[in-house]
Amino acid sequence: MVEISEKELLEKLKVNFGYDSFRLKQKTIIENILAKKDTLVIMPTGGGKSICFQLPALFFQGITIVISPLIALMKDQVDSLKANGIPATYYNSSQSQQEQQAVFNAVANKTIKLLYVAPESLPLLQNILNQNYVSCVAIDEAHCISAWGHDFRPSYKQLSFLKKSLPEVPIVALTATADKATQEDILGQLSVPHATKFVSSFNRENIALEVRPANDRVQQIIKFIQKRPSESGIVYCLSRKATEQLASKLQQKGIDAKAYHAGLTFDERAKTQEDFIKDEVAIICATIAFGMGIDKSNVRWVIHYNMPKNIEGYYQEIGRAGRDGLPSQALLFHSYADVIQLRQFIANTGNKEVQEAKLERMKQFSEATVCRRKILLSYFGELIEENCGNCDVCKNPPKFFDGTIIAQKALSAIYRLQQKEAMGTVIDVVRGAKNAAVYDKNYQTLKTYGVGRDISWQHWQHYIVQLINQGYCQIAFHLNNVLQLTDFSKKILFDGEKVQLTTPVEFKKETKTAARERKSKAKRTPALQDSLFERLRKLRYRIAQEEDIAAYLVFSDATLRQLEIERPQTDDEFLAISGVGQRKLEVYGGEFMEEINTFIKEKKKGKKDTTLETFKLYKEGFSIEEIAVKRKLKAQTIFSHLSKLYLEGKDVSLDEFIDANTLKLIGNAKKVLKNETALKPYFEFLGEKISYEQIRIGLTILQKKR
Ligand code: ADP
Ligand code: ZN
């Protein structure tokens, strides 16, 4: 292999992927692969593993075969490569014989650079699996080959023969999770024991970590979402029922959410997942089954409605946020009820001790009073010196106070209740509650009854949890979760030891005045809908629909943000944006720059409503083309103004732009395609004879009629 200079690498990175510099260890990894050395890459989700083998593929003579476990993932990656103008395809058992033959021809004629295939289909590729055709093999999700990893797949076992049949070809194994033992196992299984290893930090700096007590969860979630309109997010719940209930509560608030769990049919799940990927639905309330094999880069936040059962799971789930590197949020709700429930689950499973220990670590993380990222990373064996500055503890360090008297009240209540009551009743007693739990057992006569009236129920809960964490009392999980004293309790009750407690962080419900203020402020500040980002997002959505690909494959959120800030006006300026390569400039540049221009012009004109201006000219009798020329906009833009006016019920007649027969054909297609919204399926269904423009007009008219 001829030596390739850094300049050449950077050039290809820009032209084909739109990026200006390498991240982390990408460059050395790529050089290693180009030197035909076997390579193991451990990099966190969103770290940028794909480019490590996709970029070398462009330099190799033959193809790079990419082994990937899920068809959905393959399709996504192939779409993404194609959007960047890189010839790639996939091979799988669901393709017709013709399609499969086309793949073979493409390999023989060297018209593709990358071929994606599932491990089980590999034996069917025998006739091309030789060194004349294949220059590199990349194995994605490589931990699946190891029984020690967390997601072993038997079909990955077949990969061990690769090195034997292709001894000269570099094997590249990539994964986001593999501890030391799993790493060795992967290399052994693949017969590449001497592969060069590249292990990156696990840290995902852009994900802000936050834990809140689980009071009024639904309200808190609604508020959280309302602050972030039109952002994509996932809420993980423990049960199917919870996903459905939450989704329906969010819908009632006008929030665009859907439920996802294993109880839905395969088709329902596939549809929901696709809607999410394509930005058709913003929020998914899901059990943990959701998210595997989703590459969507613009998931902005992940909420855990319930506490996960271990840190591995938690980290994997929050890792689905912010793959594009932009600031993202991970919010976990911590409740004691969840801990108790998880313990019950664990009690009925195998290796109970290990699981209990893992749950305990999860609980410690949730209750931490030091930097949470330090705790997370140390769990994975990585130590950081500095506090992260991007977790709730760092941003809002806990305030300690002398809580000795509070502790004495709680512990003596536990003592007087003869260590036979759970936390709820203990709190009821100190607060002097007048309910059945108290009166049935005559607890109102106890000496500690009502000694802590001045402290709210939730604050008591917060303090008692801290006492448990510091070992001053404990929950007897095997005895209906009653609170018991420990050896340490004495020190407080009798030996005058002092206790430090933290003040609870308040998440107040919004008062009526505050709500009014917020709304009127929203009115004064320009609505989000008017922001350039929002308009670029809508344009991206429309293009993605037409091409029938996921919106983030057109441009990532990070690229839209940069477009919003830089507002490029020329091809060169547009190309300078991170995420814009040669093909994307050619295909999308014009439309995006036009949108930016329109936005700037409108701003100058004091935000005169652009559609109304079109409407005025239309009423004066000008044709679409004439209006386009007058307004220096594309005909397509004028048309979209007219559609909008039409749907709003303004006096615009779209019928004159389409003949009755075409409309009928589209109406028919709409039935067959079950009200599909993407334009491409119509275009194909109608034999590619009716233009996208006409299809769009037809669908607008049909929508109004309905
Ligand atoms: P992984 O497979 O490791 O989870 P991806 O390969 O999907 O991550 O990359 C995550 C995101 O980061 C993608 O949107 C990708 O385009 C982007 N990315 C990768 N490398 C770079 C780079 N050098 N500069 C900017 N963005 C990058
Ligand atoms: Zn921190």
Side-chain angles (χ1 to χ4, degrees):
M1 188 93 213
V2 275
E3 193 67 14
I4 291 162
S5 70
E6 176 165 356
K7 186 164 158 274
E8 280 173 284
L9 287 181
L10 283 170
E11 224 168 68
K12 278 248 191 299
L13 180 69
K14 181 61 200 171
V15 172
N16 290 286
F17 299 95
Y19 300 128
D20 301 309
S21 58
F22 289 108
R23 273 192 197 158
L24 300 164
K25 303 180 178 171
Q26 280 176 334
K27 183 169 153 272
T28 29
I29 294 170
I30 288 168
E31 285 167 346
N32 201 61
I33 297 172
L34 285 171
K36 298 210 148 205
K37 291 186 195 151
D38 300 320
T39 310
L40 174 68
V41 178
I42 317 260
M43 216 186 251
T45 314
K49 287 186 282 300
S50 318
I51 281 180
C52 296
F53 58 84
Q54 289 172 346
L55 188 68
L58 303 178
F59 288 97
F60 285 132
Q61 279 284 319
I63 58 164
T64 293
I65 291 193
V66 187
I67 317 279
S68 175
L70 297 167
I71 291 181
L73 261 183
M74 286 185 217
K75 187 176 172 306
D76 218 49
Q77 290 235 341
V78 169
D79 281 346
S80 161
L81 286 163
K82 284 185 177 161
N84 274 318
I86 300 167
T89 189
Y90 53 83
Y91 178 97
N92 68 46
S93 49
S94 68
Q95 287 169 317
S96 69
Q97 220 164 17
Q98 274 158 325
E99 285 171 314
Q100 294 181 340
Q101 190 53 47
V103 173
F104 289 132
N105 294 343
V107 174
N109 299 332
K110 301 198 159 57
T111 51
I112 54 165
K113 281 286 153 203
L114 295 111
L115 173 61
Y116 282 73
V117 58
E120 50 275 19
S121 300
L122 208 53
L124 303 172
L125 296 184
Q126 277 311 337
N127 51 343
I128 54 164
L129 272 186
N130 68 61
Q131 299 178 164
N132 294 330
Y133 295 127
V134 181
S135 293
C136 179
V137 177
I139 299 164
D140 213 356
E141 312 290 348
H143 58 274
C144 294
I145 200 173
S146 170
W148 295 344
H150 56 86
D151 190 17
F152 172 61
R153 285 165 194 250
S155 60
Y156 263 69
K157 279 281 174 202
Q158 325 181 14
L159 304 180
S160 51
F161 81 92
L162 277 169
K163 196 69 207 177
K164 284 175 211 104
S165 32
L166 303 165
E168 304 287 316
V169 169
I171 305 260
V172 185
L174 309 101
T175 171
T177 48
D179 55 23
K180 275 248 156 57
T182 313
Q183 291 172 20
E184 292 308 320
D185 196 29
I186 292 172
L187 299 184
Q189 301 275 351
L190 292 172
S191 316
V192 292
H194 302 299
T196 329
K197 286 193 221 164
F198 295 90
V199 182
S200 300
S201 160
F202 249 61
N203 194 3
R204 301 280 312 278
E205 291 170 353
N206 62 316
I207 303 179
L209 307 171
E210 185 181 359
V211 180
R212 295 185 195 171
N215 310 318
D216 271 333
R217 263 178 279 204
V218 177
Q219 285 311 316
Q220 291 200 53
I221 292 174
I222 290 170
K223 258 174 84 178
F224 180 94
I225 295 171
Q226 282 171 340
K227 275 194 196 149
R228 299 166 172 78
S230 65
E231 286 188 6
S232 255
I234 307 172
V235 189
Y236 285 109
C237 308
L238 213 52
S239 71
R240 296 175 185 185
K241 213 168 113 204
T243 64
E244 299 206 330
Q245 284 172 344
L246 181 63
S248 111
K249 280 178 195 155
L250 296 180
Q251 284 158 10
Q252 281 163 23
K253 287 276 171 188
I255 294 169
D256 182 19
K258 262 181 153 183
Y260 180 104
H261 55 73
L264 300 172
T265 65
F266 178 82
D267 286 347
E268 285 167 328
R269 272 180 290 154
K271 172 88 172 67
T272 303
Q273 174 160 332
E274 178 153 339
D275 284 352
F276 182 63
I277 290 174
K278 291 192 171 168
D279 284 358
E280 305 274 355
V281 59
I283 292 160
I284 302 290
C285 305
T287 49
I288 50 171
F290 184 77
M292 270 274 294
I294 289 187
D295 253 352
K296 184 175 163 72
S297 74
N298 62 334
V299 177
R300 290 269 66 87
W301 52 261
V302 167
I303 293 178
H304 281 88
Y305 186 90
N306 299 104
M307 195 160 102
K309 57 180 189 290
N310 55 44
I311 289 186
E312 284 96 335
Y314 170 72
Y315 205 58
Q316 197 171 34
E317 281 140 31
I318 66 168
R320 290 169 187 149
R323 278 168 169 260
D324 52 15
L326 289 186
S328 308
Q329 254 79 36
L331 171 58
L332 163 70
F333 286 105
H334 170 42
S335 96
Y336 246 76
D338 284 353
V339 177
I340 289 167
Q341 196 182 1
L342 286 168
R343 275 183 162 271
Q344 278 159 357
F345 285 161
I346 290 172
N348 305 320
T349 58
N351 67 345
K352 188 171 146 225
E353 281 76 29
V354 177
Q355 298 219 41
E356 271 178 356
K358 289 192 169 192
L359 175 60
E360 190 56 32
R361 297 286 298 267
M362 187 66 224
K363 200 162 80 58
Q364 284 164 359
F365 167 81
S366 316
E367 289 155 0
T369 48
V370 299
C371 174
R372 292 195 205 274
R373 204 171 307 266
K374 274 191 170 167
I375 301 182
L376 269 188
L377 292 175
S378 79
Y379 184 84
F380 294 110
E382 201 177 316
L383 302 176
I384 47 171
E385 302 257 324
E386 303 280 320
N387 287 337
C388 79
N390 197 20
C391 74
D392 52 346
V393 180
C394 284
K395 287 178 192 161
N396 217 338
K399 293 184 188 72
F400 288 93
F401 67 94
D402 182 351
T404 311
I405 293 181
I406 290 177
Q408 283 166 349
K409 287 177 180 171
L411 296 182
S412 73
I414 294 173
Y415 172 74
R416 293 193 189 272
L417 289 165
Q418 297 175 13
Q419 312 187 60
K420 278 188 186 148
E421 294 294 346
M423 195 188 306
T425 308
V426 175
I427 298 176
D428 279 347
V429 169
V430 284
R431 293 203 72 243
K434 298 183 171 63
N435 59 22
V438 169
Y439 285 111
D440 284 356
K441 296 185 182 161
N442 255 339
Y443 288 156
Q444 74 278 17
T445 59
L446 294 179
K447 207 171 154 210
T448 40
Y449 180 73
V451 291
R453 270 201 187 89
D454 51 327
I455 295 173
S456 76
W457 211 95
Q458 271 145 20
H459 286 190
W460 267 116
Q461 193 181 22
H462 172 83
Y463 296 138
I464 293 179
V465 166
Q466 289 181 59
L467 292 174
I468 296 171
N469 289 336
Q470 298 184 40
Y472 292 118
C473 56
Q474 64 188 12
I475 295 186
F477 288 106
H478 56 294
L479 294 173
N480 292 326
N481 310 308
V482 302
L483 284 184
Q484 296 179 331
L485 301 176
T486 66
D487 291 344
F488 282 10
S489 312
K490 277 208 303 292
K491 299 190 200 170
I492 294 179
L493 289 174
F494 310 115
D495 303 345
E497 182 164 305
K498 296 239 176 279
V499 183
Q500 293 288 304
L501 294 175
T502 67
T503 38
V505 184
E506 295 288 350
F507 293 97
K508 284 203 199 98
K509 267 201 210 154
E510 198 172 42
T511 60
K512 278 201 180 132
T513 348
R516 220 177 298 130
E517 232 166 61
R518 176 170 56 80
K519 282 178 194 150
S520 92
K521 192 170 155 214
K523 255 187 214 156
R524 290 195 304 273
T525 43
L528 195 82
Q529 268 68 2
D530 289 344
S531 78
L532 179 54
F533 181 80
E534 197 51 28
R535 290 175 54 161
L536 297 176
R537 209 175 67 87
K538 284 200 178 120
L539 174 60
R540 170 178 79 173
Y541 176 72
R542 207 205 73 217
I543 293 175
Q545 263 201 328
E546 283 176 17
E547 298 194 359
D548 201 14
I549 59 174
Y552 70 90
L553 293 180
V554 175
F555 284 131
S556 70
D557 276 14
T559 302
L560 292 194
R561 282 279 171 225
Q562 263 218 341
L563 288 173
E564 180 188 30
I565 295 165
E566 303 289 338
R567 302 188 178 182
Q569 311 270 312
T570 65
D571 280 7
D572 282 344
E573 286 169 10
F574 200 83
L575 193 59
I577 302 288
S578 174
V580 180
Q582 196 57 40
R583 179 179 179 274
K584 288 193 177 174
L585 166 70
E586 281 159 17
V587 185
Y588 308 130
E591 274 188 278
F592 277 87
M593 283 189 277
E594 185 183 312
E595 189 69 42
I596 292 168
N597 267 321
T598 316
F599 179 83
I600 294 172
K601 273 192 207 134
E602 279 173 31
K603 282 251 148 170
K604 279 199 191 126
K605 273 198 226 144
K607 293 206 202 98
K608 209 194 265 169
D609 189 338
T610 177
T611 53
L612 284 181
E613 202 162 321
T614 296
F615 187 53
K616 211 176 106 220
L617 293 168
Y618 171 82
K619 289 310 272 178
E620 286 168 15
F622 292 103
S623 72
I624 289 195
E625 283 70 25
E626 286 165 338
I627 302 175
V629 172
K630 271 184 178 301
R631 298 208 52 201
K632 299 202 181 67
L633 293 171
K634 279 199 183 148
Q636 203 176 21
T637 312
I638 302 301
F639 175 72
S640 75
H641 293 167
L642 292 180
S643 306
K644 190 161 164 254
L645 293 159
Y646 175 80
L647 287 174
E648 282 168 1
K650 292 258 172 25
D651 181 20
V652 171
S653 151
L654 289 185
D655 302 319
E656 60 193 78
F657 301 117
I658 190 168
D659 66 65
N661 193 35
T662 310
L663 186 61
K664 215 165 116 194
L665 288 173
I666 296 170
N668 188 25
K670 190 164 171 341
K671 274 195 207 110
V672 178
L673 296 173
K674 302 204 174 92
N675 292 322
E676 170 64 53
T677 49
L679 298 187
K680 198 171 173 197
Y682 287 90
F683 186 65
E684 284 167 0
F685 181 84
L686 296 166
E688 311 199 349
K689 290 198 185 70
I690 297 177
S691 71
Y692 278 105
E693 203 53 41
Q694 289 276 298
I695 295 171
R696 199 177 304 143
I697 297 175
L699 289 176
T700 311
I701 294 175
L702 292 166
Q703 184 187 345
K704 180 80 180 289
K705 286 212 171 107
R706 207 184 53 173

